[in-house]
Amino acid sequence: VPDGAVDYALDLTDVDVTSVADADVAPDADGATCPGWYDPTSGLCWQDPPPSTAMDLSEAEAYCDVLSLGGYGSWHLPTIDELRSLIRECPATEPGGACAVTEPWCLDRDFCMNDWCDGCSSMWGCYWPHALSGPCSVFRSSSVGGDRFGTCNFVVRFTNASVECGTSSVHVRCVRPGP
């Protein structure tokens, strides 16, 4: 790594993905447990807090595949649809909004990326549920699209709720079906 550069390489042996204490397991609306944050609108259980290490796509997939929290091992890197389900107060990029980037039918970024995917402008706040912790930043999905210019891994920038193409290391929040 050149002087002054940040090395985002991830050694999965340095990340504790085995379990969390029972204190981190919160009951969801039905009384079952979600070791993280349960979203009653989507029925998904989200890792909360997320890891502090930024990851590229292959690192993120490997991390979520081996994650075990609260006795659950069925975690995965969210699809762009699952990640968009966390967007709040920006109708264009919320699920069903005018931004056309969705799974599985539209992963061609030339066709799907439109002005509506630019999100909402805000000088404060975070376009996700207030109960979530972690940095309000760019988070990775597992969805990959492409065109004649190459491939694109779709991400959500929660500071403005935009749906973008991302290739660098960004934050990760794993997900699993609700309890």
Side-chain angles (χ1 to χ4, degrees), residues 4 6 36-37 39-41 77 85 93 103 105 109 111 143 159-161 167-168 171:
V6 177
W37 181 74
D39 184 358
T41 62
L77 189 61
S85 76
T93 54
E103 283 253 355
W105 70 271
R109 69 178 182 210
F111 176 72
S143 301
T159 54
N160 68 352
T167 56
S168 63
H171 289 96

Side-chain angles (χ1 to χ4, degrees), residues 8 39 67 81:
Y8 287 111
D39 184 358
L67 183 65
D81 293 337

Side-chain angles (χ1 to χ4, degrees), residues 94-114:
E94 289 176 10
C99 174
V101 177
T102 62
E103 283 253 355
W105 70 271
C106 190
L107 294 180
D108 176 340
R109 69 178 182 210
D110 278 347
F111 176 72
C112 295
M113 295 295 285
N114 56 36

Side-chain angles (χ1 to χ4, degrees), residues 11-104:
D11 179 357
L12 289 176
T13 61
D14 293 337
V15 180
D16 179 15
V17 295
T18 56
S19 66
V20 293
D22 289 339
D24 293 339
V25 179
D28 69 18
D30 296 327
T33 57
C34 172
W37 181 74
Y38 177 73
D39 184 358
T41 62
S42 67
L44 296 172
C45 180
W46 291 91
Q47 178 188 22
D48 193 44
S52 59
T53 306
M55 301 177 207
D56 67 23
L57 179 59
S58 62
E59 292 167 335
E61 288 174 328
Y63 169 81
C64 290
D65 284 348
V66 300
L67 183 65
S68 178
L69 297 176
Y72 295 100
S74 57
W75 297 90
H76 64 272
L77 189 61
T79 65
I80 191 60
D81 293 337
E82 290 170 326
L83 194 57
R84 284 179 65 181
S85 76
L86 290 177
I87 298 173
R88 301 294 194 273
E89 304 299 321
C90 187
T93 54
E94 289 176 10
C99 174
V101 177
T102 62
E103 283 253 355

